[in-house]
Amino acid sequence: MPVGQDGLKRVLDAFEQGDWDEIHLVADDVEVHLVARGADSKVQATSHVTAPEETPARTTDVAPSAPMTATAEDATTVVAPSPGLFWRAPSPGAPPFTDIGGHVEEGTALCIVEVMKLMNTLPAPVAGTVVEICAENGEQVDTGTPLFRIRADGS
Amino acid sequence: MTHVEFVDQTLRDGQQSLWGMRIRAGMAAAVAEDIDRTGFRTVDVTGSSMFECMMRYSREDPWEGLDLWRTWLPNAQLRAGSRSNCIAKFGLTPDSLMDLWIRTLTRHGIQSFWIYDCLYNMDQMRRLCQTVHDAGAEVVPAIMFGISPVHTDEWFAARVREMVSWGIVSAIYVEDAPGILAPERGATLIPALVDAAGDVPVELHCHNTVGVAPLNYLTGLRSGVRILHTASRPLANGPSLPSTEAMVENLRWLGHDHGLDTARLDPVALHFARVAAQEGWATGTPNEFSTFAYHHQLPGGMTGTLKAQLAQYGMEDRLTEVLEEVVRVREELGHPISATPFSQLMGIQAVLNIVTGDRYSMVPDEVIIYTLGHLGTPPAPIDPDVRDRVLSSPRAKEYLAWEPPQPSLKELRIQFGDARMSDEELLCRYLVPREDFEATRAAGKVSPTYVFRDAVASRQLIETALTMRRPTYVRVRRGDLDLTLRRSRTD
């Protein structure tokens, strides 16, 4: 007898609301067997549950920081202006725009933040030396995620 | 009585419009024979965006997947599509790679290509169409429809005449990607295009975004169109095309015939409805008519993508504002036709304009390249103020002197790290970041099957059982699943 998902749900509800001691239902390709409290003498002290794996995708929450503020170490932090994917090179197979220790001029391209497959190139806000790259190539970043720290020339 | 032929879009545009190109090769296994033997003129199966999605999201080798489909569909004429000047994302691709893309697809069994260019770079289109012809495949250049002061019936008809004059064209493909061809405009446009095509047949590919595509198909039939693009019902309608089922029925009432074995339509529809249910993916439903769609002109799939993007900013409620901004951006950028890449360029620029609150303060490289004319001549002049703003950034200054590079295949192979890599690997490496290519390779062979687990239904059943108060013993069995729970009396 086809009962469908809604039908099974109604049977379970009816069991829960009523005073039945046991139900054993085989319908479609499903078999459900329930025994109520007190009705089964074979109750064991422990239970063993193996639910299907349904691990939610990991989400990364990064607290936004103020854009491009000087830090205690006198380095300028460049943050992501938008959620997107962080890319260090202009295209697959190409060398990165810059690396730790590299010197950049104001306006030099630092990286790409890919927003829905469109490439937004971020310029260096100051001339200086890259002292830290704070995100992994290909990482999903959020607005305000620190990407680079640049020590300005003369600081 | 007219004999009408069909181009099946279930596996390509149907799932592109409704499933965001997340189809995996094995999902077609159970019904490939039905699709193959239905009697379609052509079965559209792939394009570069699909290759990209298969690697990025499904971790499946797209060449292996295509080979499986070719094996499972031994009779059908298989089609792929390409823009005239780009396969990866929204910039420009070197000619050497464009040609390699066509030739390699042909080697894997593609026999027909539709070639499009929303800026109508006719020289580029002709060049790639010649490549297709030389590779021995059918050449079907596309007219992409849009509404603007520039894009008149005569403007489109002139493009058709030029395409036909190349002498290598098997058909003209007419696409309404946003689904905004109004029936009254269709009544003048479609006959004009059929007339311009002369002896070359016209294919109609109208998205049913606001529910009027079937009316345009009927106009087409009255005007001499004999080829319609449709999809299996679960992958039809809404942002996709009209369903094969509905059009076959319409033909019957109009007294036209077709060569389709209609007994094969139901098994395909049932299968993909079940896939959608298991994966939690949409199936197409006819949309209500929307006047607004005629203004923003965005394809239905793109509207969904923008909604998802706005959710990332926590601004889901601002979709209408973004779509209104699209209207402004289109006008400012000179009315490019709203299909790839311009639907994306205009859509994302509108999102960035709204979320930054400072219009054109953040401009993607692709918009800069377009503004500089590297993608082709804008249909109408770009607004001078917007042009100045776009070109004032340091990045734009770098692009001023930029010429699109034209590396040889040998140079490209060396750039990607191995002078001896296969054509297939080179194209894949060009299409996706290294991480995605390597993860795809690590994932191993493509699964040639798709298993229905009814997992979602089982999970809901178990969840309900777990929240019940009365049972001390629960057993649920379904397929491979066998779950037993016991607990001590707690009262």
Side-chain angles (χ1 to χ4, degrees), chain B residues 47-111:
Chain B
S48 62
S49 304
M50 188 154 154
F51 267 54
E52 198 186 318
C53 288
M54 289 187 103
M55 288 186 275
R56 278 191 111 161
Y57 303 114
S58 307
R59 302 298 191 213
E60 289 197 344
D61 177 350
W63 294 110
E64 204 184 323
L66 177 58
D67 290 345
L68 285 172
W69 284 9
R70 180 70 277 185
T71 313
W72 298 338
L73 297 137
N75 302 299
Q77 164 165 274
L78 299 190
R79 177 179 285 179
S82 181
R83 275 173 277 159
S84 76
N85 53 9
C86 180
I87 55 171
K89 307 215 171 97
F90 309 128
L92 285 165
T93 297
D95 291 348
S96 57
L97 268 181
M98 292 303 302
D99 292 350
L100 187 72
W101 169 240
I102 300 290
R103 288 198 305 267
T104 312
L105 281 168
T106 311
R107 214 164 58 230
H108 285 262
I110 296 296
Q111 300 148 299

Coordinates of all heavy atoms in Angstrom, one line a residue, chain B residues 47-111:
Chain B
G47 N 29.2 23.5 -22.7 CA 29.8 24.8 -23.0 C 30.9 25.0 -22.0 O 31.1 24.2 -21.1
S48 N 31.7 26.0 -22.1 CA 32.8 26.2 -21.2 C 32.4 26.5 -19.8 O 33.1 26.0 -18.8 CB 33.8 27.3 -21.7 OG 33.1 28.5 -21.7
S49 N 31.3 27.2 -19.6 CA 30.8 27.4 -18.2 C 30.5 26.1 -17.5 O 30.7 25.9 -16.3 CB 29.6 28.3 -18.1 OG 29.9 29.5 -18.8
M50 N 29.9 25.2 -18.3 CA 29.6 23.8 -17.8 C 30.9 23.1 -17.4 O 30.9 22.4 -16.3 CB 28.8 23.0 -18.8 CG 28.2 21.8 -18.2 SD 26.8 21.3 -19.0 CE 26.8 19.6 -18.7
F51 N 31.9 23.2 -18.2 CA 33.2 22.6 -17.9 C 33.7 23.1 -16.5 O 34.1 22.4 -15.7 CB 34.2 22.9 -19.0 CG 34.3 21.8 -20.0 CD1 33.1 21.4 -20.7 CD2 35.5 21.2 -20.4 CE1 33.2 20.4 -21.7 CE2 35.5 20.2 -21.3 CZ 34.4 19.8 -22.0
E52 N 33.6 24.4 -16.4 CA 34.1 25.1 -15.2 C 33.3 24.6 -14.0 O 33.9 24.3 -13.0 CB 33.9 26.6 -15.4 CG 34.7 27.5 -14.5 CD 34.2 28.9 -14.7 OE1 34.0 29.4 -15.9 OE2 34.1 29.6 -13.7
C53 N 32.0 24.6 -14.1 CA 31.2 24.1 -12.9 C 31.4 22.7 -12.6 O 31.5 22.3 -11.4 CB 29.7 24.4 -13.2 SG 29.2 26.1 -13.2
M54 N 31.6 21.8 -13.6 CA 31.9 20.4 -13.3 C 33.1 20.2 -12.5 O 33.2 19.4 -11.6 CB 31.9 19.6 -14.6 CG 30.6 19.5 -15.3 SD 30.5 18.4 -16.7 CE 29.8 17.0 -16.0
M55 N 34.1 21.1 -12.8 CA 35.4 20.9 -12.0 C 35.3 21.6 -10.7 O 35.6 21.1 -9.6 CB 36.5 21.5 -12.8 CG 36.9 20.6 -14.0 SD 38.4 21.2 -14.8 CE 37.7 22.4 -16.0
R56 N 34.7 22.9 -10.7 CA 34.7 23.7 -9.5 C 33.8 23.1 -8.4 O 34.1 23.1 -7.2 CB 34.3 25.1 -9.8 CG 35.4 26.0 -10.3 CD 35.0 27.4 -10.3 NE 35.7 28.2 -9.3 CZ 35.8 29.5 -9.3 NH1 35.2 30.2 -10.2 NH2 36.5 30.1 -8.4
Y57 N 32.6 22.6 -8.8 CA 31.6 22.2 -7.9 C 31.4 20.7 -7.8 O 31.2 20.2 -6.7 CB 30.3 22.9 -8.2 CG 30.4 24.4 -8.2 CD1 30.2 25.1 -9.4 CD2 30.8 25.1 -7.1 CE1 30.4 26.5 -9.5 CE2 30.9 26.5 -7.1 CZ 30.7 27.2 -8.3 OH 30.9 28.6 -8.3
S58 N 31.5 20.0 -8.9 CA 31.2 18.6 -8.9 C 32.5 17.8 -8.8 O 32.4 16.6 -8.6 CB 30.4 18.2 -10.1 OG 29.2 19.0 -10.2
R59 N 33.6 18.4 -9.1 CA 34.9 17.7 -9.1 C 34.9 16.5 -10.1 O 35.4 15.4 -9.8 CB 35.3 17.2 -7.7 CG 35.4 18.3 -6.6 CD 36.5 19.3 -7.0 NE 36.8 20.1 -5.8 CZ 37.1 21.4 -6.0 NH1 37.2 22.0 -7.2 NH2 37.4 22.1 -4.9
E60 N 34.3 16.7 -11.2 CA 34.2 15.7 -12.3 C 35.0 16.2 -13.5 O 34.9 17.4 -13.9 CB 32.8 15.5 -12.7 CG 32.0 14.7 -11.7 CD 30.7 14.1 -12.2 OE1 30.3 14.5 -13.4 OE2 30.1 13.2 -11.6
D61 N 35.8 15.3 -14.0 CA 36.5 15.6 -15.3 C 35.5 15.8 -16.4 O 34.9 14.9 -16.8 CB 37.5 14.5 -15.6 CG 38.3 14.8 -16.9 OD1 37.9 15.7 -17.6 OD2 39.2 14.0 -17.2
P62 N 35.4 17.1 -16.9 CA 34.3 17.3 -17.9 C 34.6 16.6 -19.2 O 33.6 16.2 -19.9 CB 34.4 18.8 -18.1 CG 35.7 19.3 -17.6 CD 36.1 18.3 -16.6
W63 N 35.8 16.3 -19.6 CA 36.1 15.5 -20.8 C 35.6 14.1 -20.6 O 34.9 13.5 -21.5 CB 37.5 15.5 -21.1 CG 38.0 16.9 -21.5 CD1 38.9 17.7 -20.8 CD2 37.7 17.7 -22.7 NE1 39.1 18.9 -21.4 CE2 38.4 18.9 -22.6 CE3 36.9 17.4 -23.8 CZ2 38.3 19.9 -23.6 CZ3 36.8 18.4 -24.8 CH2 37.5 19.6 -24.7
E64 N 35.8 13.5 -19.4 CA 35.4 12.2 -19.2 C 33.8 12.1 -19.2 O 33.2 11.2 -19.7 CB 35.9 11.7 -17.8 CG 36.0 10.3 -17.6 CD 36.5 10.0 -16.2 OE1 37.3 10.7 -15.6 OE2 36.0 9.0 -15.6
G65 N 33.2 13.2 -18.6 CA 31.8 13.2 -18.6 C 31.2 13.3 -20.0 O 30.2 12.6 -20.3
L66 N 31.8 14.2 -20.8 CA 31.3 14.3 -22.2 C 31.5 13.0 -22.9 O 30.6 12.6 -23.7 CB 32.1 15.4 -22.9 CG 31.8 15.7 -24.3 CD1 30.3 16.0 -24.6 CD2 32.7 16.8 -24.9
D67 N 32.6 12.3 -22.7 CA 32.8 11.0 -23.4 C 31.7 10.0 -23.0 O 31.2 9.3 -23.8 CB 34.2 10.4 -23.1 CG 35.3 11.3 -23.7 OD1 35.0 12.1 -24.6 OD2 36.5 11.1 -23.3
L68 N 31.3 10.0 -21.7 CA 30.3 9.1 -21.2 C 29.0 9.5 -22.0 O 28.3 8.6 -22.5 CB 30.0 9.3 -19.7 CG 31.1 8.6 -18.8 CD1 30.8 9.0 -17.4 CD2 31.1 7.1 -19.0
W69 N 28.6 10.8 -22.0 CA 27.4 11.2 -22.7 C 27.4 10.8 -24.2 O 26.4 10.4 -24.7 CB 27.2 12.7 -22.5 CG 26.7 13.0 -21.1 CD1 26.6 12.2 -20.1 CD2 26.2 14.3 -20.7 NE1 26.1 12.8 -19.0 CE2 25.8 14.1 -19.3 CE3 26.0 15.5 -21.3 CZ2 25.3 15.2 -18.5 CZ3 25.5 16.6 -20.5 CH2 25.1 16.4 -19.2
R70 N 28.6 11.0 -24.8 CA 28.7 10.6 -26.2 C 28.4 9.1 -26.4 O 27.7 8.7 -27.3 CB 30.1 11.0 -26.7 CG 30.4 10.7 -28.2 CD 29.7 11.6 -29.2 NE 28.3 11.2 -29.5 CZ 27.5 11.7 -30.4 NH1 27.9 12.8 -31.1 NH2 26.3 11.3 -30.6
T71 N 28.9 8.3 -25.5 CA 28.7 6.9 -25.6 C 27.3 6.5 -25.3 O 26.7 5.6 -26.0 CB 29.6 6.2 -24.5 OG1 30.9 6.7 -24.5 CG2 29.6 4.7 -24.7
W72 N 26.7 7.2 -24.4 CA 25.3 6.9 -24.0 C 24.3 7.5 -25.1 O 23.1 7.0 -25.1 CB 24.9 7.5 -22.7 CG 25.7 7.0 -21.5 CD1 26.4 5.8 -21.5 CD2 25.9 7.6 -20.3 NE1 27.0 5.6 -20.3 CE2 26.8 6.7 -19.5 CE3 25.5 8.8 -19.7 CZ2 27.2 7.0 -18.2 CZ3 25.9 9.1 -18.4 CH2 26.8 8.2 -17.7
L73 N 24.7 8.5 -25.9 CA 23.8 9.1 -26.9 C 24.5 8.8 -28.2 O 25.0 9.8 -28.9 CB 23.6 10.6 -26.6 CG 22.9 10.9 -25.3 CD1 23.6 12.1 -24.6 CD2 21.5 11.3 -25.5
P74 N 24.5 7.6 -28.7 CA 25.3 7.3 -29.9 C 24.7 7.9 -31.2 O 25.4 8.1 -32.2 CB 25.3 5.8 -30.0 CG 24.1 5.4 -29.2 CD 23.9 6.4 -28.1
N75 N 23.4 8.2 -31.2 CA 22.7 8.6 -32.4 C 22.5 10.1 -32.5 O 22.5 10.7 -33.6 CB 21.3 7.9 -32.5 CG 21.4 6.4 -32.5 OD1 22.1 5.8 -33.3 ND2 20.9 5.8 -31.4
A76 N 22.3 10.8 -31.4 CA 21.9 12.2 -31.5 C 23.1 13.1 -32.0 O 24.3 12.8 -31.7 CB 21.5 12.7 -30.1
Q77 N 22.7 14.1 -32.7 CA 23.7 15.2 -33.0 C 23.9 16.0 -31.8 O 23.0 16.6 -31.3 CB 23.2 16.0 -34.2 CG 24.0 17.3 -34.3 CD 23.8 18.0 -35.7 OE1 24.4 17.7 -36.6 NE2 22.8 19.0 -35.7
L78 N 25.2 16.0 -31.3 CA 25.4 16.7 -30.0 C 26.0 18.1 -30.3 O 26.8 18.3 -31.2 CB 26.4 15.9 -29.1 CG 26.0 14.5 -28.7 CD1 27.0 14.0 -27.6 CD2 24.6 14.5 -28.1
R79 N 25.5 19.0 -29.5 CA 26.0 20.4 -29.7 C 26.7 21.0 -28.5 O 26.3 20.6 -27.4 CB 24.7 21.3 -30.0 CG 25.0 22.8 -30.1 CD 23.8 23.6 -30.5 NE 23.4 23.4 -31.9 CZ 22.3 24.0 -32.4 NH1 21.6 24.8 -31.7 NH2 22.1 23.8 -33.7
A80 N 27.6 21.9 -28.7 CA 28.2 22.7 -27.7 C 28.1 24.2 -28.1 O 27.8 24.5 -29.3 CB 29.7 22.4 -27.5
G81 N 28.3 25.1 -27.2 CA 28.2 26.5 -27.5 C 29.4 27.2 -27.1 O 30.2 26.8 -26.2
S82 N 29.7 28.4 -27.8 CA 30.8 29.1 -27.4 C 30.6 30.6 -27.7 O 30.0 30.9 -28.7 CB 32.1 28.6 -28.1 OG 33.2 29.4 -27.6
R83 N 31.1 31.5 -26.8 CA 31.2 32.9 -27.2 C 32.3 33.0 -28.3 O 33.2 32.1 -28.4 CB 31.6 33.7 -26.0 CG 30.4 34.2 -25.2 CD 30.9 34.8 -23.9 NE 31.2 33.8 -22.9 CZ 32.0 34.1 -21.8 NH1 32.6 35.3 -21.7 NH2 32.3 33.2 -20.9
S84 N 32.3 34.1 -29.0 CA 33.3 34.2 -30.2 C 34.7 34.4 -29.7 O 35.6 34.1 -30.4 CB 32.9 35.4 -31.1 OG 33.2 36.6 -30.5
N85 N 34.9 35.0 -28.5 CA 36.2 35.5 -28.1 C 36.6 35.1 -26.7 O 37.6 35.7 -26.2 CB 36.3 37.0 -28.3 CG 35.1 37.7 -27.6 OD1 34.4 37.1 -26.8 ND2 35.0 39.0 -27.8
C86 N 35.8 34.2 -26.0 CA 36.2 33.9 -24.7 C 35.6 32.6 -24.2 O 34.4 32.3 -24.5 CB 35.6 35.1 -23.8 SG 36.0 34.8 -22.0
I87 N 36.4 31.8 -23.5 CA 35.8 30.6 -22.9 C 35.8 30.7 -21.3 O 35.0 30.0 -20.7 CB 36.4 29.3 -23.4 CG1 37.9 29.3 -23.2 CG2 36.0 29.1 -24.8 CD1 38.5 27.9 -23.5
A88 N 36.8 31.4 -20.8 CA 37.0 31.4 -19.3 C 36.4 32.7 -18.8 O 36.9 33.8 -19.1 CB 38.4 31.3 -19.0
K89 N 35.4 32.6 -17.9 CA 34.8 33.7 -17.2 C 34.5 34.8 -18.3 O 34.0 34.5 -19.3 CB 35.8 34.2 -16.2 CG 36.2 33.1 -15.2 CD 36.4 33.6 -13.8 CE 36.6 32.4 -12.9 NZ 38.0 32.1 -12.6
F90 N 34.8 36.1 -18.0 CA 34.2 37.2 -18.7 C 35.2 38.1 -19.4 O 34.9 39.2 -19.7 CB 33.3 38.0 -17.9 CG 32.3 37.1 -17.2 CD1 32.1 37.1 -15.8 CD2 31.6 36.1 -17.9 CE1 31.2 36.3 -15.1 CE2 30.7 35.3 -17.2 CZ 30.5 35.4 -15.9
G91 N 36.5 37.6 -19.6 CA 37.5 38.5 -20.2 C 37.6 38.1 -21.7 O 36.7 38.0 -22.4
L92 N 38.9 37.9 -22.1 CA 39.2 37.5 -23.4 C 40.1 36.3 -23.4 O 41.0 36.1 -22.6 CB 39.9 38.7 -24.1 CG 39.1 39.9 -24.5 CD1 39.9 41.1 -24.9 CD2 38.2 39.5 -25.7
T93 N 39.9 35.4 -24.4 CA 40.7 34.2 -24.5 C 41.5 34.3 -25.8 O 41.0 34.7 -26.8 CB 39.8 33.0 -24.6 OG1 39.0 32.9 -23.4 CG2 40.6 31.7 -24.8
P94 N 42.8 33.9 -25.7 CA 43.6 33.9 -27.0 C 43.0 33.1 -28.1 O 42.4 32.1 -27.8 CB 45.0 33.3 -26.5 CG 45.0 33.4 -25.1 CD 43.6 33.4 -24.6
D95 N 43.2 33.5 -29.3 CA 42.6 32.8 -30.5 C 43.1 31.3 -30.5 O 42.3 30.4 -30.9 CB 43.0 33.5 -31.8 CG 42.4 34.8 -32.0 OD1 41.4 35.1 -31.2 OD2 42.8 35.6 -32.9
S96 N 44.4 31.1 -30.1 CA 44.9 29.8 -30.2 C 44.1 28.8 -29.3 O 43.8 27.7 -29.7 CB 46.4 29.8 -29.7 OG 46.5 30.3 -28.4
L97 N 43.7 29.3 -28.1 CA 42.9 28.5 -27.2 C 41.4 28.3 -27.7 O 40.8 27.3 -27.5 CB 42.9 29.1 -25.8 CG 44.0 28.5 -24.9 CD1 43.9 29.2 -23.5 CD2 44.0 27.0 -24.8
M98 N 40.9 29.4 -28.3 CA 39.5 29.3 -28.8 C 39.5 28.2 -29.8 O 38.6 27.4 -29.8 CB 39.1 30.6 -29.5 CG 38.9 31.8 -28.6 SD 37.7 31.6 -27.2 CE 36.2 31.2 -28.1
D99 N 40.4 28.2 -30.7 CA 40.5 27.2 -31.8 C 40.7 25.8 -31.2 O 40.0 24.8 -31.6 CB 41.6 27.5 -32.8 CG 41.2 28.8 -33.6 OD1 40.1 29.3 -33.5 OD2 42.1 29.3 -34.3
L100 N 41.6 25.7 -30.2 CA 41.8 24.4 -29.6 C 40.6 23.9 -28.9 O 40.3 22.7 -28.9 CB 43.0 24.5 -28.6 CG 43.4 23.2 -28.0 CD1 44.2 22.4 -29.0 CD2 44.3 23.4 -26.7
W101 N 39.8 24.8 -28.3 CA 38.6 24.4 -27.6 C 37.6 23.8 -28.6 O 37.0 22.7 -28.4 CB 38.0 25.7 -27.0 CG 36.6 25.6 -26.4 CD1 35.5 26.4 -26.8 CD2 36.1 24.8 -25.4 NE1 34.4 26.1 -26.1 CE2 34.7 25.2 -25.2 CE3 36.7 23.9 -24.5 CZ2 33.9 24.6 -24.2 CZ3 35.9 23.3 -23.5 CH2 34.5 23.6 -23.4
I102 N 37.4 24.4 -29.7 CA 36.5 23.9 -30.8 C 37.0 22.5 -31.3 O 36.2 21.5 -31.3 CB 36.4 24.9 -32.0 CG1 35.9 26.2 -31.5 CG2 35.6 24.2 -33.1 CD1 34.4 26.2 -31.1
R103 N 38.3 22.5 -31.6 CA 38.8 21.2 -32.2 C 38.8 20.1 -31.2 O 38.5 18.9 -31.6 CB 40.3 21.5 -32.7 CG 40.3 22.3 -33.9 CD 41.7 22.2 -34.6 NE 42.8 22.4 -33.7 CZ 43.4 23.6 -33.6 NH1 43.1 24.6 -34.3 NH2 44.4 23.7 -32.7
T104 N 39.0 20.4 -30.0 CA 39.1 19.3 -29.0 C 37.7 18.8 -28.7 O 37.4 17.6 -28.6 CB 39.8 19.7 -27.7 OG1 41.0 20.4 -28.0 CG2 40.1 18.6 -26.8
L105 N 36.7 19.7 -28.6 CA 35.3 19.3 -28.5 C 34.9 18.4 -29.6 O 34.2 17.4 -29.5 CB 34.4 20.5 -28.4 CG 34.3 21.2 -27.0 CD1 33.6 22.5 -27.1 CD2 33.7 20.3 -25.9
T106 N 35.3 18.8 -30.8 CA 34.9 18.0 -32.0 C 35.5 16.6 -31.9 O 34.8 15.6 -32.2 CB 35.4 18.7 -33.3 OG1 35.0 20.1 -33.2 CG2 34.8 18.1 -34.5
R107 N 36.7 16.5 -31.4 CA 37.4 15.2 -31.3 C 36.6 14.4 -30.3 O 36.7 13.1 -30.3 CB 38.8 15.4 -30.8 CG 39.8 14.4 -31.4 CD 41.2 14.8 -31.2 NE 41.6 15.1 -29.9 CZ 42.3 16.2 -29.5 NH1 42.6 17.2 -30.4 NH2 42.6 16.4 -28.3
H108 N 36.0 15.0 -29.3 CA 35.2 14.2 -28.3 C 33.7 14.1 -28.7 O 32.9 13.7 -27.9 CB 35.3 14.9 -26.9 CG 36.6 14.7 -26.3 ND1 36.8 13.8 -25.3 CD2 37.8 15.3 -26.5 CE1 38.1 13.8 -24.9 NE2 38.7 14.7 -25.6
G109 N 33.4 14.3 -30.0 CA 32.1 13.9 -30.5 C 31.1 15.1 -30.7 O 29.9 14.8 -31.0
I110 N 31.5 16.3 -30.4 CA 30.6 17.4 -30.7 C 30.5 17.7 -32.2 O 31.5 17.8 -32.9 CB 31.0 18.7 -29.9 CG1 31.0 18.5 -28.4 CG2 30.1 19.9 -30.3 CD1 29.6 18.2 -27.8
Q111 N 29.2 17.7 -32.7 CA 29.0 17.8 -34.2 C 28.4 19.2 -34.6 O 28.2 19.4 -35.8 CB 28.1 16.7 -34.6 CG 28.7 15.3 -34.3 CD 27.6 14.3 -34.1 OE1 26.8 14.5 -33.1 NE2 27.5 13.3 -34.9

